[in-house]
Structure formats: C-alpha cells, structure tokens
Amino acid sequence: YMAPYVVIGIGLVLLMVCGEIDLSVGFVWTLSPYVMHFFVDSGLPTLLAIVVTVLLLSLIGLLNGIVTTVFGVPSLITTLGSGYLIYGYTLTISSAQQINLPPQSLGIGRWFGSEAWSEFIWGVILVLLFHILLTRTRWGLYTVAVGGNLLGARESGIRVNRIKIGNFMMCSALGAFAGILEAFKNNIIDPSAGQLAVVLVALAGAVIGGTAMLGGVGTMLGLFIGMVVLGELQDGFNLRGISSNKYLIILGAAILVAMVVNTYIGRLRGAGRLQSKS
C-alpha cells in the first residue's frame, strides 16, 4: 500500500524542504505508464523505455520550476494548472480507456512492481539514496538553506532558482517512476490512477513524518515512518473490517496534530530555544 506513496513522497519532501509544493506529480503518475507503453510499442526494450520515460517526464518539473521561479507564480497554482493539463492530455491520448501492459514487458515487470515486495524494495532503496542526498551532500544543504532562509541563501551565493528547479525535476521523475511501478503491480494501465489523491496521501505521510509545509525542515526517514504508520492503519482497518470513513477521520486528525507540533517547534526554533541539527 505505502511503497509508491513513499516514492512520490521523496520528491515532495525535497520540494517542501525548499519551500515549494507540487500537485502535478500525481498526474505525472497517471501519464507515465502510457508514455512507457508508447516507447515499448516503438521498439525500445522495456528497461530503456522506463529510463527514457522517467527522464522525459522530468521535463514537466523543469517547466514547473521555470514558471514558479522565473515568472513568480506560486508553485501551488503552477502545479495545479500543469497537473490538469497533463491529465487532460492523458485522457486524450488514451481515450480515457484502460490498456494492458505490453506483453514483452511482463518478464522484466517483476522487478518493477509485479513481484511481491519489489515496490517496497524500490521504496527503501530510494529513501536511503535521497536521505544521503539531503543530509550528506551540498545539494541537500542548499535545499535546506533555501527553505529555511531564502534571502540568506541568496545572499550567501546559493543559486536558489537552480536548487528549486532541480528539485521540481526530481519530483516529476519520481512521480513517473511511481506510476510505472503501480502499473506493473496492477498489471494494467489505468487513466483513473494517480491524480490528486496520491499526492494528498504522500503529503500526509510527509507531514506526519515531520516535514514542515513552510520549508527548512524534513527528512526522508521521517517520510518513511509516516507512510509506515499510514500503511499500518490502512491494513489494520481493512483486516478488522472497520469502515474506511473512520480511517479518514484518524488520518485527518493525525495531519492536524502533526502540523500543530511542526508549527510549535518552528516557533521554538525562531525564538532560539531549540537548536536544530544540520
């Protein structure tokens, strides 16, 4: 349940830490399996088609980043608009119809979602890689700096627009990969998959895991823990036959509590009473 949300959540954490948001990534999830299917039908090997699809759809993040940083449009508006453009394009090229995965892709698909635990393994690998990126590299340091103090980061020589655009591109690429994983797991390409619903779940996991909506604070391990909590709640409610309506109540309450705690910690940091670790 939680593995694909972890994958797109990684990109969302990067953006939230640097003070931005991407609502279009759920629609990139919807589009990516169709793009992969096109490349496979065109004669590309499936693995190469996956790589090309992820790289190509990362350009959506490039456009989102340019509109946000160069033209000054809030990322919430930019990505909401681009998301619906992507979704409309997906419905147009697919005629809003489900299609089967290419038969020649089913063999390698067991490494990309169709085999039990393969999605979870991808989620763990990516969390570890991006945890290192965020905590042990200059890019991660600059990402935190941009979200924590935009003016200070700019005056210290950090290329703020470059950091934000790069994180937008990584978010779109991860959304594309998550969509491909889900298509292989479900053994079908569905135009109703993804969309805003997956973004909201991933955001919930990130917030519960300690990522601040206002930027400057967030960890990949926290995202993973937050998604595990949501996954355990979902599975537990299903196994015990409890209505999903009650799950949504708990999910909403958990988000509110996490945001209150995040806001309080942010105020303590601002007052100098709580030292944050870099």
Side-chain angles (χ1 to χ4, degrees):
Y1 167 74
M2 46 77 71
Y5 301 102
V6 167
V7 175
I8 68 166
I10 291 168
L12 289 170
V13 168
L14 286 174
L15 281 175
M16 291 164 69
V17 169
C18 72
E20 302 294 347
I21 192 68
D22 187 352
L23 299 181
S24 71
V25 66
F27 300 100
V28 175
W29 168 317
T30 309
L31 173 63
S32 61
Y34 288 100
V35 177
M36 182 200 70
H37 191 285
F38 169 78
F39 284 124
V40 172
D41 279 351
S42 300
L44 286 183
T46 301
L47 182 59
L48 181 58
I50 292 173
V51 173
V52 172
T53 298
V54 170
L55 293 177
L56 179 63
L57 294 188
S58 70
L59 297 179
I60 294 173
L62 174 63
L63 294 175
N64 285 335
I66 290 174
V67 172
T68 298
T69 60
V70 176
F71 295 98
V73 180
S75 57
L76 179 70
I77 305 302
T78 299
T79 57
L80 183 62
S82 65
Y84 280 112
L85 284 172
I86 296 164
Y87 188 47
Y89 177 73
T90 304
L91 294 178
T92 300
I93 63 173
S94 66
S95 299
Q97 298 295 317
Q98 294 179 341
I99 60 174
N100 294 320
L101 289 164
Q104 60 269 41
S105 301
L106 298 181
I108 197 172
R110 61 196 181 95
W111 300 99
F112 291 95
S114 62
E115 189 74 16
W117 295 98
S118 57
E119 270 190 311
F120 180 79
I121 292 170
W122 274 112
V124 171
I125 291 172
L126 290 172
V127 163
L128 293 177
L129 288 176
F130 280 89
H131 171 72
I132 294 171
L133 174 71
L134 189 59
T135 61
R136 295 290 184 266
T137 68
R138 184 171 296 179
W139 184 275
L141 175 64
Y142 288 174
T143 296
V144 174
V146 168
N149 187 343
L150 181 61
L151 180 60
R154 184 175 284 118
E155 291 183 346
S156 66
I158 296 175
R159 300 172 67 178
V160 171
N161 288 1
R162 180 182 177 185
I163 296 297
K164 290 190 175 185
I165 291 172
N167 286 328
F168 270 111
M169 293 181 69
M170 283 190 278
C171 188
S172 290
L174 288 162
F177 188 58
I180 291 171
L181 290 177
E182 276 294 277
F184 277 117
K185 185 181 82 171
N186 297 324
N187 201 30
I188 198 166
I189 300 175
D190 187 357
S192 66
Q195 304 178 46
L196 279 177
V198 298
V199 179
L200 297 178
V201 174
L203 284 174
V207 170
I208 291 171
T211 301
M213 295 292 291
L214 299 179
V217 179
T219 67
M220 297 302 167
L221 297 182
L223 164 72
F224 188 82
I225 292 171
M227 289 312 311
V228 167
V229 170
L230 293 182
E232 289 293 333
L233 282 174
Q234 178 73 30
D235 289 343
F237 274 50
N238 289 338
L239 289 172
R240 295 186 64 85
I242 300 175
S243 170
S244 61
N245 298 331
K246 296 179 180 178
Y247 166 75
L248 294 176
I249 292 172
I250 294 177
L251 176 60
I255 294 172
L256 289 174
V257 170
M259 283 305 301
V260 169
V261 172
N262 280 344
T263 302
Y264 179 68
I265 291 175
R267 289 175 179 173
L268 289 181
R269 285 198 177 106
R273 286 182 288 170
L274 183 64
Q275 297 296 324
S276 61
K277 295 182 179 180
S278 60

